[in-house]
Amino acid sequence: MNKDDKILIIGAGLCGSLLALRLAQRGFKIELFESRPDLRKVDISAGRSINLALSDRGLKGLNLCGVADKAKEICIPMLGRQMHDVNGNTFDSKYSGREGEYINSISRGDLNAILLDEVDSHKNVNIHFNKKCTHVDLDETSIEFYDYETKEEFTVTGDVIFGADGAGSVLRKHYISERKFLFSYSQNYLTHGYKELEIPADENGKHQLSKGHLHIWPRGDFMLIALPNTDGSFTVTLFLSYDEGEYSFANLTSEENITAFFEKEFPDALALIPNIKEEFLNNPTGFLGTVKCSPWSYQNKTVLIGDASHAIVPFYGQGMNASFEDVFVFDEVLNKGFKTWQEVFKAFEKERKKDTDAIADLAVDNFHEMKDHVANPLFKEKRKIEMDLEEQFPDEYFSKYAMVTFKEDIPYSEAMKKGRAQDKALLNLIADDEINTHLNMSKEELHQILKTVKEETNEILQEDKIAGL
């Protein structure tokens, strides 16, 4: 492993671009390949989430590469969730009781463009667009490409290949099909898909809903969410079953059905989406899946990173953040002085996989929480207590959400373990009326609750440890 090694990276999306940037900053020679056109010149957003939630773990990766400030310039801070009930009533729920903790809505394309511009500024990187990876020779570390512009095929050979080519990774498919080593792989889909719609800006170019919130219309079996864009619009996403229940993508096929569904379930949102019929019928229905696999690498030649190794569903807003954190962790592993790429790859997976498995599971948990539990009175009471505890004891209490989203120094696996135990302790105490809660609790009352929750959490963690969980 040395600086003269020729590194091939498949995929110039968010993860591939940040990885290329960091390796270029370290002095490596990079060839970066992307099947799509240059998004700085052509709009390629069709069918993909056009805005994402950027939080502390993602910012940690951007900070490492010196681009966090540029990213922040195009962010819209979302201070909490705003819930919308069927009657159009709203209630707000902050993400944290601490000051200054929020997530950011950011344009996928604009952020990718910032990263590509930074990559372009390094002479030791070449970016190749419109080049589709069709085959990977794992032993020869060579890649066959199809050039969409010239319609020709060509082969590139390097010393090491990084597969940053997303949930449908071609490199990962070769791990499965070539059977050169024992490769474990699972891909689990939710029974729900998603469709993106738009709330446009008003006639003055302003947002028609509060731009300081992530908006959620929770309806039990399905939900609508909306994230603000810098042009005054909102990207709206409907999460709905493919073919189960009274309403599903399978039976919402006519203008009458679509309108009746929105009039009944989301009347306030419907009033703000003028092109609902055209968008619903013409925009693609996306799928939601989790990818887990192992090992992430083959010998000292190839490695998977980002969604290629651990795609997750979007309900914790951590997909991009987890991929950026991958780059941060990979960089830390490079600092440990390993002599071969194989040692680096194995150390990276050992350090990282338990955490990517954890955030994958947490994201599925949060799907059920967002569409159902956020409107549950027990859940609301739990959130109220957590907000109060975080506000009064900011250094002593962190909710599961806060540990995942704002405590980038706590690994996902630890946040999951402690957060689940804490949730269980709190909900049990509320359900059993073992803690007295009311609207304006004193600091002394809250301190007693904190003490009780800590004791119960530690007891649950101890029980889980004994049970081998």
Side-chain angles (χ1 to χ4, degrees):
M1 188 177 83
N2 61 66
K3 294 292 167 65
D4 291 328
D5 284 345
K6 184 179 176 185
I7 295 175
L8 311 180
I9 299 177
I10 311 169
L14 294 171
C15 182
S17 297
L18 189 70
L19 175 68
L21 176 57
R22 186 56 192 153
L23 292 176
Q25 289 171 343
R26 293 186 76 112
F28 289 102
K29 295 172 181 172
I30 317 287
E31 300 293 327
L32 177 60
F33 296 90
E34 172 56 53
S35 62
R36 296 166 299 170
D38 187 344
L39 56 71
R40 295 168 295 179
K41 300 171 183 174
V42 182
D43 179 18
I44 58 169
S45 63
R48 292 169 65 81
S49 305
I50 66 167
N51 53 10
L52 301 162
L54 175 65
S55 54
D56 292 38
R57 292 176 198 271
L59 285 165
K60 179 171 67 174
L62 295 173
N63 258 320
L64 172 70
C65 300
V67 289
D69 288 343
K70 286 186 179 176
K72 286 176 183 173
E73 288 173 11
I74 59 167
C75 283
I76 300 178
M78 297 183 291
L79 306 177
R81 297 165 169 168
Q82 186 168 97
M83 313 299 170
H84 299 248
D85 71 14
V86 179
N87 300 315
N89 302 311
T90 62
F91 67 90
D92 297 350
S93 172
K94 289 200 298 182
Y95 285 122
S96 168
R98 278 174 293 276
E99 288 296 312
E101 288 188 342
Y102 53 84
I103 63 175
N104 301 280
S105 178
I106 191 167
S107 159
R108 177 197 291 272
D110 291 349
L111 178 56
N112 211 156
I114 287 171
L115 294 174
L116 288 170
D117 283 345
E118 291 293 324
V119 171
D120 261 341
S121 69
H122 289 266
K123 291 186 171 60
N124 49 332
V125 187
N126 294 311
I127 313 179
H128 312 270
F129 294 102
N130 295 296
K131 309 293 185 282
K132 182 187 179 184
C133 169
T134 56
H135 182 77
V136 182
D137 189 316
L138 299 177
D139 289 315
E140 297 299 322
T141 55
S142 66
I143 310 173
E144 291 176 20
F145 290 98
Y146 174 76
D147 190 319
Y148 283 118
E149 293 169 312
T150 66
K151 313 294 186 207
E152 293 175 354
E153 295 180 348
F154 64 97
T155 302
V156 179
T157 302
D159 295 294
V160 63
I161 298 170
F162 285 81
D165 49 342
S169 171
V170 176
L171 178 57
R172 192 185 67 238
K173 285 173 184 169
H174 278 77
Y175 281 9
I176 298 167
S177 62
E178 304 251 329
R179 298 178 180 272
K180 290 183 178 292
F181 57 102
L182 294 173
F183 182 66
S184 299
Y185 168 70
S186 70
Q187 187 159 3
N188 297 309
Y189 293 103
L190 293 181
T191 55
H192 285 56
Y194 72 93
K195 192 179 286 284
E196 297 205 332
L197 309 164
E198 184 189 44
I199 293 175
D202 67 16
E203 61 273 15
N204 300 313
K206 303 291 186 189
H207 292 91
Q208 297 196 64
L209 297 169
S210 160
K211 70 173 183 176
H213 291 90
L214 185 154
H215 295 265
I216 307 179
W217 290 257
R219 296 295 182 266
D221 290 330
F222 48 87
M223 68 174 165
L224 202 66
I225 69 167
L227 273 74
N229 296 308
T230 52
D231 64 358
S233 69
F234 281 84
T235 301
V236 180
T237 309
L238 172 67
F239 297 97
L240 180 68
S241 171
Y242 284 111
D243 53 16
E244 293 176 2
E246 183 185 355
Y247 301 109
S248 67
F249 284 120
N251 62 30
L252 292 179
T253 53
S254 69
E255 292 185 8
E256 293 76 22
N257 285 356
I258 295 161
T259 306
F261 170 56
F262 273 81
E263 280 175 347
K264 181 183 175 188
E265 300 292 345
F266 313 111
D268 56 336
L270 178 63
L272 303 174
I273 308 175
N275 301 319
I276 180 82
K277 295 164 192 169
E278 295 81 0
E279 289 182 12
F280 199 99
L281 293 171
N282 296 321
N283 290 358
T285 302
F287 61 85
L288 298 160
T290 300
V291 168
K292 291 181 182 178
C293 64
S294 181
W296 290 353
S297 61
Y298 174 62
Q299 297 181 355
N300 64 335
K301 302 169 185 288
T302 68
V303 67
L304 301 167
I305 193 167
D307 281 358
S309 53
H310 54 77
I312 64 175
V313 295
F315 302 106
Y316 233 111
Q318 287 295 306
M320 167 182 64
N321 294 291
S323 291
F324 284 176
E325 193 175 52
D326 278 0
V327 176
F328 184 92
V329 173
F330 191 84
D331 189 71
E332 285 192 320
V333 172
L334 285 176
N335 289 335
K336 291 181 178 176
F338 292 110
K339 296 288 186 285
T340 67
W341 283 112
Q342 188 167 14
E343 290 174 304
V344 168
F345 297 159
K346 285 188 170 178
F348 170 58
E349 181 175 354
K350 187 176 181 184
E351 176 71 24
R352 191 70 179 137
K353 182 166 167 50
K354 62 185 182 298
D355 294 320
T356 58
D357 283 353
I359 192 57
D361 294 344
L362 283 167
V364 173
D365 288 353
N366 220 39
F367 166 58
H368 300 293
E369 191 170 291
M370 287 173 74
K371 70 183 173 65
D372 189 8
H373 300 165
V374 286
N376 182 306
L378 201 64
F379 179 86
K380 285 186 189 178
E381 191 170 353
K382 171 180 161 287
R383 286 299 290 159
K384 167 76 171 71
I385 294 170
E386 290 195 306
M387 293 297 106
D388 289 345
L389 290 175
E390 288 185 332
E391 188 179 345
Q392 292 293 338
F393 310 102
D395 300 323
E396 286 189 72
Y397 187 86
F398 295 86
S399 69
K400 181 176 70 185
Y401 186 89
M403 283 189 274
V404 169
T405 310
F406 306 121
K407 289 288 285 178
E408 79 278 1
D409 56 326
I410 296 179
Y412 283 131
S413 53
E414 192 182 319
M416 179 177 75
K417 199 178 291 184
K418 187 175 179 185
R420 281 177 170 175
Q422 215 167 244
D423 283 354
K424 190 175 176 182
L426 252 176
L427 288 167
N428 284 346
L429 290 166
I430 295 167
D432 297 342
D433 286 329
E434 286 186 34
I435 48 177
N436 180 34
T437 62
H438 53 88
L439 270 180
N440 299 303
M441 287 184 284
S442 67
K443 189 163 185 175
E444 289 71 28
E445 287 174 303
L446 284 166
H447 190 266
Q448 185 54 49
I449 290 174
L450 176 65
K451 187 167 172 280
T452 307
V453 169
K454 278 184 172 180
E455 288 168 359
E456 291 291 318
T457 300
N458 287 333
E459 204 170 293
I460 292 167
L461 285 168
Q462 195 58 37
E463 287 170 359
D464 288 351
K465 192 175 179 182
I466 293 167
L469 298 174

